[in-house]
Amino acid sequence: QAADSKREQFRRYLEKSGVLDTLTKVLVALYEEPEKPNSALDFLKHHLGASAPENPEIEALRLEVAEMKEKYEAVLEENKKLKTKVTVY
């Protein structure tokens, strides 16, 4: 009976933390694949990895990329304005 209680607590923990829902979604996606992958385990790893919490380094790089895109757009705009001022002979 103690083992059943521990199992039930663990099941509630998995349910509360969203693990059961995530696993169910990935398994359903695998089930619905028209052509089953050679490695079901690789499929699961790929799809679970995609929904894993972000690595702080990845998030920092994303922020850096966003900043660089903004700077790039500003430079393009400045370039466009300067080209209109320049008279080519």
Side-chain angles (χ1 to χ4, degrees):
Q1 214 173 20
D4 287 342
S5 175
K6 283 188 176 188
R7 275 193 211 126
E8 183 58 27
Q9 286 176 345
F10 187 65
R11 189 197 61 75
R12 282 193 302 252
Y13 163 73
L14 292 175
E15 190 173 346
K16 193 175 185 179
S17 63
V19 171
L20 291 180
D21 188 46
T22 301
L23 284 174
T24 301
K25 286 178 183 177
V26 173
L27 290 172
V28 168
L30 177 59
Y31 175 78
E32 292 176 346
E33 276 292 306
E35 290 191 30
K36 303 297 182 237
N38 290 334
S39 172
L41 187 56
D42 286 344
F43 181 92
L44 293 174
K45 286 179 182 178
H46 173 75
H47 283 79
L48 288 173
S51 62
E54 284 294 321
N55 180 333
E57 286 182 31
I58 293 173
E59 187 57 33
L61 289 171
R62 285 180 196 214
L63 288 172
E64 187 177 346
V65 166
E67 289 173 11
M68 292 296 165
K69 283 181 180 179
E70 285 181 29
K71 288 179 183 179
Y72 172 75
E73 293 298 326
V75 168
L76 282 180
E77 189 62 33
E78 181 183 14
N79 189 356
K80 188 187 294 183
K81 287 178 184 176
L82 291 172
K83 281 182 178 179
T84 60
K85 291 182 179 181
V86 173
T87 307
V88 178
Y89 294 101

